[in-house]
Amino acid sequence: MVPLNYLLHFIEEDAPFGDVTSEAVIPEELNAKAVIIAKGEGIIAGVEEAKALFEHFGVKVDVKKRDGEEVRKGDTILELEGNARAILLVERTALNVMGRMSGIATEVKKLVDRVKAVNPKVRVAGTRKTLLKPIDKKAILIGGGEPHRFSLSDAVLIKDNHLALVPLEEAIRRAKAFSAYKVVEVEVETLEDALKAAKAGADVVMLDNMKPEEIAEVLEALKREGLRERVKIEVSGGITPENIAEYAGLDIDVISLGYLTHSVKNFDVSLEIIGKA
């Protein structure tokens, strides 16, 4: 589960000096019953996080749909009972977390299914294009994808801005010397650099912004040189739900997409008070 302290930060941000509306209008001792329902079809996620938030403020939670389950419009995800002010305090933060995580999980599941139908060995991954890493990375996992690096500390990923300062072969050599335990990945945009990276000992070669036919040429060249089995091949850049199946048909290992976290549409969930308790 995403750490509770991380989630509580959102509550503190949303109500730095309390929920003045509820404190002004709702009697302090009033208890209520509420439900959280799905407003569409998809993969639900963030249930654990919402439950932890409500329970932290003393609200009883009955889970009806668990993370990773498919839901339809109108399905009840959580039933809540407790102090009315507490329910309303947590409401928007819980819905925001669930909506974002469910949106990501739903999109990831859709793309994973599309890719696996073409090539079962290819994995779908996110990227670091997010500031909400604990939430977004878990949502990708719930959808059946790979989270990629969680942080800059996890693995070596040599990108164009690194290579603008240090030559490719030297960058790989330095990375290999730096640690025996870190995966070394190199982002390249040409066949020539892909071969250089593989020969220099990269563990993963990311083919960035290449068209499927260009990737096919790289793969054939790696095979001719006896290098294909020595490296994992990741493709990224310019990949969309519409063309992802074309990339999946190639002899690659991973497809990574930044839009899974920087452009995905939230899944609509709603909290409704159903009466006093």
Side-chain angles (χ1 to χ4, degrees), residues 214-227:
E214 295 173 319
I215 293 170
E217 291 178 10
V218 171
L219 294 168
E220 184 58 36
L222 288 170
K223 289 176 183 176
R224 283 199 308 268
E225 297 285 340
L227 298 168

Side-chain angles (χ1 to χ4, degrees), residues 14-218:
D14 198 32
F17 305 106
D19 174 2
V20 295
T21 305
S22 294
E23 291 168 12
V25 174
I26 305 296
E28 185 176 3
E29 70 283 356
L30 183 63
N31 288 336
K33 293 181 179 180
V35 291
I36 292 180
I37 61 173
K39 303 298 289 293
E41 296 185 2
I43 303 299
I44 201 67
V47 175
E48 280 190 334
E49 286 67 30
K51 180 175 183 289
L53 280 170
F54 281 112
E55 288 182 339
H56 178 78
F57 289 93
V59 177
K60 294 179 182 178
V61 181
D62 187 6
V63 175
K64 297 301 183 182
K65 293 290 184 178
R66 299 193 177 277
D67 287 326
E69 289 190 40
E70 293 186 10
V71 296
R72 296 181 179 276
K73 184 176 181 179
D75 282 353
T76 297
I77 302 163
L78 297 175
E79 292 182 351
L80 311 169
E81 182 175 340
N83 182 265
R85 289 187 182 182
I87 291 173
L88 296 173
L89 172 69
V90 177
E91 174 186 5
R92 178 41 54 195
T93 296
L95 295 179
N96 284 348
V97 170
M98 291 179 68
R100 181 170 178 83
M101 291 182 70
S102 300
I104 292 171
T106 298
E107 186 67 11
V108 170
K109 178 65 162 55
K110 180 176 73 176
L111 295 185
V112 166
D113 288 348
R114 194 168 295 176
V115 165
K116 296 297 184 185
V118 176
N119 189 343
K121 80 164 193 167
V122 176
R123 302 187 179 199
V124 175
T127 71
R128 283 176 48 253
K129 292 180 180 177
T130 171
L131 287 175
L132 300 171
K133 284 182 241 178
I135 286 173
D136 290 355
K137 297 294 189 181
K138 182 179 177 182
I140 290 170
L141 286 168
I142 290 172
E146 293 277 337
H148 215 284
R149 292 188 299 170
F150 187 86
S151 72
L152 290 170
S153 304
D154 294 343
V156 176
L157 176 46
I158 302 169
K159 298 171 71 69
D160 55 352
N161 282 335
H162 300 105
L163 297 178
L165 301 168
V166 180
L168 189 150
E169 291 96 337
E170 181 185 347
I172 295 173
R173 178 183 59 77
R174 293 173 66 89
K176 288 285 188 178
F178 180 78
S179 173
Y181 298 99
K182 298 293 185 185
V183 170
V184 175
E185 180 170 2
V186 184
E187 177 185 277
V188 301
E189 296 183 352
T190 67
L191 187 156
E192 180 184 6
D193 282 346
L195 290 174
K196 283 183 182 179
K199 289 177 181 178
D203 300 299
V204 184
V205 175
M206 179 195 290
L207 306 179
D208 189 41
N209 285 304
M210 288 190 182
K211 296 178 180 178
E213 55 270 25
E214 295 173 319
I215 293 170
E217 291 178 10
V218 171

